[in-house]
Amino acid sequence: VQFLKLQWKSCRFPPGPTPFPIIGSIWWINFRADHGSLKKLAKRYGNISTLWLGHKPFVVLHGFQAVKDGLTTHSEDVSGRLQTTVFKRMANGKGILVSNGLIWKHQRRFGIGTLRKLGMGNKGMECGIQTEAHYLVKFFRDTNGKSFTKFVHAVSNVICAVVFGHRFSLEDETFHQLIEHLCRMPAPQMCEVLPGVMNHIPGPHLKALSCCDFVRSFIRKEIQSHRERGTVDEPQDFIDFYLDQMTQNVPDSTYDEDNMVQSIFDLFLAGSETTATTLRWALLYMVAYPDIQEKVQKELDAALGPSHLICYEDRKKLPYTNAVIHEIMRYGNIVLITIPRQAVKNTTVLGYQLPKGTLIIPNLDSALFDPKYWETPHQFNPGHFLDKDGNFVAREAFLAFSADKFIDSHRVCLGEVLARMELFIIFFKEVNTQIIFGSTMKPHPYKICAVLR
Ligand code: HEM
């Protein structure tokens, strides 16, 4: 009976493999939503298909057009986030990244507005990024080439300056603890499968949750020291602005300390590892494609010179470098599928009527490698972002930050402009001050025994 019920239910959704009670249809992709299995799914069922996790349908969007139309035609309808066990333990419905409804609207609007007031997109934040880029290169010189491990420190420090009003030294022990806990936080999936049981069994999932607690208590200490300092005439950082907002008389206000802590937590979570990983890919590609590195260095030398203090505006004079950074983001493809969306009301996606609560998985990877939109999708080719005269061209299929151009619209990356500034300035600083090369190929460690002849 359960089987028949499920078949009846699945008829109303986009096509997909046959679902069975309990296991659904994810058996068809070997229980793994990775690049290869989602490609296989699209090949068999088309650009919109359904996977069932037990009795829960996930609608998968594949290819640039499907991802774009699916997320933007009725963008507000598909702007929800699923409240999974992990997300509840991580955020409890607060903050920006996985919240919904009024809390999400308030916190997101406040977050964007405040980041702009604090200089996102202009000189304000540029200065903080230049400072971090400077310390990275200094650290590189002092340690003879080990700056690569410090990307996450540099980009987290930019966020520290914005939210706490100060940066940390790269040697600071407390800061190291913050970074360590931030990096150990990836979602503990087992809690999703067996929530009740996993809460009592030790393992990486409990470690990840205790890392969340550490980061939150770190943020609370900073808020406490702001409170002790008392009100300031001019708010200097995110916490100042938020404390001020809490005193305003806003109808149905959701501005409280828990939401402040979680919003700051979300900025760290969404903004540290993402940007740092992209920078690590950047260096790897410069090692793998030395001819491209050389062309970037030539363009920098010709347009700016070695002692120039780089600013984001300079990208307009550096079309090739700008194209290389975009190609790093496209080819590095760090997100694969974006955090699943949920329909907040009955809606239509690519002609299918989807009921409220349906989960939607936009496969960003499939847009960044869509052969209809990229000339050589599986090659690292900065030419994707250049016209025949060598001018930089933006590409509509470049959905690294999700599927909408406008930050004020629903659920796109809130830190896109900050990320772009960081990538441009830090990449410039690295390539302009050093030649990046890989060391020799070494054999894996092995044990050897010599016997006398
Ligand atoms: C290379 C760097 C980055 C990439 C590739 C990236 C990508 C993304 C993607 C794909 C999403 C999901 C959007 C959706 O649901 O459709 C997202 C959301 C978000 N990002 Fe980023 N991001 C980056 C850097 C940053 C930075 C630097 C910040 C802020 C400091 C940030 C803050 C956020 C926030 C708060 C959200 C949640 C928005 C919401 O749910 O309303 N991101 N990002």
Side-chain angles (χ1 to χ4, degrees):
V1 175
Q2 289 291 325
F3 177 77
L4 291 176
K5 262 191 188 166
L6 203 50
Q7 304 318 305
W8 174 248
K9 206 170 154 192
S10 69
C11 290
R12 285 170 286 153
F13 285 88
T18 309
F20 291 93
I22 305 176
I23 56 166
S25 61
I26 49 161
W27 56 270
W28 201 87
I29 54 162
N30 295 332
F31 302 91
R32 289 170 56 171
D34 58 15
H35 168 85
S37 47
L38 293 181
K39 204 170 164 189
K40 183 177 124 189
L41 186 76
K43 206 168 165 202
R44 174 78 176 78
Y45 295 101
N47 285 349
I48 177 164
S49 57
T50 310
L51 278 174
W52 292 77
L53 189 62
H55 287 242
K56 229 173 185 7
F58 282 77
V59 170
V60 183
L61 304 174
H62 190 95
F64 166 68
Q65 205 58 52
V67 172
K68 181 178 170 244
D69 292 350
L71 292 187
T72 58
T73 310
H74 303 290
S75 55
E76 183 151 15
D77 297 359
V78 295
S79 65
R81 292 272 198 236
L82 168 71
Q83 289 306 300
T84 66
T85 312
V86 171
F87 287 173
K88 275 191 207 136
R89 287 286 305 269
M90 252 174 59
N92 198 19
K94 308 272 180 193
I96 308 167
L97 198 63
V98 293
S99 62
N100 281 312
L102 200 59
I103 291 186
W104 170 63
K105 278 193 181 143
H106 280 174
Q107 306 307 314
R108 184 179 164 93
R109 197 179 321 130
F110 178 83
I112 296 172
T114 307
L115 290 187
R116 279 188 183 140
K117 282 183 203 151
L118 288 166
M120 183 164 77
N122 61 44
K123 294 279 168 209
M125 279 192 199
E126 200 165 73
C127 195
I129 302 169
Q130 284 160 346
T131 305
E132 293 314 321
H134 163 80
Y135 281 113
L136 256 185
V137 171
K138 183 174 174 307
F139 185 83
F140 170 83
R141 290 208 178 108
D142 295 349
T143 58
N144 211 8
K146 293 205 181 95
S147 62
F148 311 151
T149 53
K150 294 287 174 193
F151 283 142
V152 71
H153 296 69
V155 294
S156 302
N157 239 342
V158 173
I159 302 177
C160 286
V162 170
V163 294
F164 303 147
H166 63 90
R167 69 179 295 277
F168 291 87
S169 137
L170 289 182
E171 281 85 36
D172 188 302
E173 200 38 51
T174 343
F175 183 49
H176 276 250
Q177 284 181 2
L178 174 70
I179 301 296
E180 219 178 278
H181 287 85
L182 270 174
C183 295
R184 272 204 245 137
M185 260 191 309
Q189 287 95 340
M190 282 314 285
C191 290
E192 229 46 275
V193 186
L194 299 165
V197 182
M198 295 311 282
N199 279 347
H200 304 287
I201 300 176
H205 56 290
L206 289 190
K207 189 92 199 148
L209 293 172
S210 91
C211 287
C212 295
D213 293 340
F214 178 92
V215 175
R216 266 193 292 268
S217 81
F218 192 100
I219 296 168
R220 279 191 201 280
K221 278 187 206 141
E222 289 283 346
I223 295 172
Q224 187 53 30
S225 69
H226 277 68
R227 285 192 197 278
E228 281 162 13
R229 193 190 63 193
T231 45
V232 282
D233 296 338
E234 282 284 308
Q236 302 293 320
D237 55 50
F238 192 90
I239 296 179
D240 283 345
F241 275 103
Y242 206 107
L243 289 171
D244 184 49
Q245 178 72 21
M246 278 162 67
T247 64
Q248 312 286 318
N249 209 355
V250 179
D252 301 323
S253 172
T254 62
Y255 301 105
D256 54 32
E257 184 161 323
D258 285 345
N259 271 310
M260 166 164 39
V261 171
Q262 194 59 42
S263 296
I264 295 174
F265 178 99
D266 289 347
L267 294 179
F268 277 114
L269 186 64
S272 298
E273 187 73 15
T274 44
T275 318
T277 305
T278 310
L279 283 165
R280 294 181 64 164
W281 279 118
L283 293 200
L284 194 61
Y285 294 144
M286 290 306 96
V287 172
Y289 305 104
D291 49 325
I292 294 180
Q293 181 182 170
E294 207 183 315
K295 271 180 96 173
V296 169
Q297 274 158 342
K298 275 196 183 137
E299 185 183 63
L300 301 183
D301 289 347
L304 304 175
S307 55
H308 179 81
L309 182 62
I310 186 77
C311 47
Y312 189 46
E313 197 60 17
D314 288 331
R315 73 192 183 285
K316 295 178 185 158
K317 291 183 230 155
L318 302 166
Y320 187 76
T321 308
N322 201 12
V324 169
I325 294 172
H326 279 75
E327 183 65 355
I328 289 164
M329 279 192 267
R330 183 193 75 81
Y331 201 67
N333 174 30
I334 61 158
V335 176
L336 180 62
I337 48 176
T338 179
I339 314 164
R341 303 285 194 87
Q342 187 165 35
V344 292
K345 52 161 110 149
N346 294 345
T347 188
T348 312
V349 172
L350 278 82
Y352 289 93
Q353 306 277 333
L354 301 182
K356 180 179 171 182
T358 305
L359 295 168
I360 297 154
I361 302 189
N363 183 358
L364 294 187
D365 157 85
S366 65
L368 296 176
F369 286 82
D370 191 330
K372 283 197 210 120
Y373 293 86
W374 304 99
E375 297 72 31
T376 53
H378 297 286
Q379 269 174 35
F380 185 81
N381 172 11
H384 287 137
F385 295 92
L386 293 168
D387 67 13
K388 60 176 178 15
D389 301 318
N391 301 310
F392 177 79
V393 275
R395 300 290 300 264
E396 62 166 350
F398 180 70
L399 300 187
F401 297 97
S402 197
D404 218 316
K405 280 198 201 77
F406 307 106
I407 188 177
D408 294 312
S409 56
H410 308 280
R411 282 285 184 211
V412 289
C413 175
L414 185 142
E416 175 173 345
V417 182
L418 173 58
R420 283 175 181 275
M421 290 171 77
E422 288 176 324
L423 293 174
F424 183 76
I425 292 173
I426 297 176
F427 179 77
F428 168 89
K429 199 78 184 170
E430 290 284 332
V431 179
N432 203 32
T433 43
Q434 59 215 21
I435 293 171
I436 302 154
F437 56 87
S439 61
T440 51
M441 301 285 284
K442 296 183 185 71
H444 284 292
Y446 58 82
K447 284 188 180 157
I448 196 164
C449 181
V451 180
L452 286 175
R453 291 204 282 165

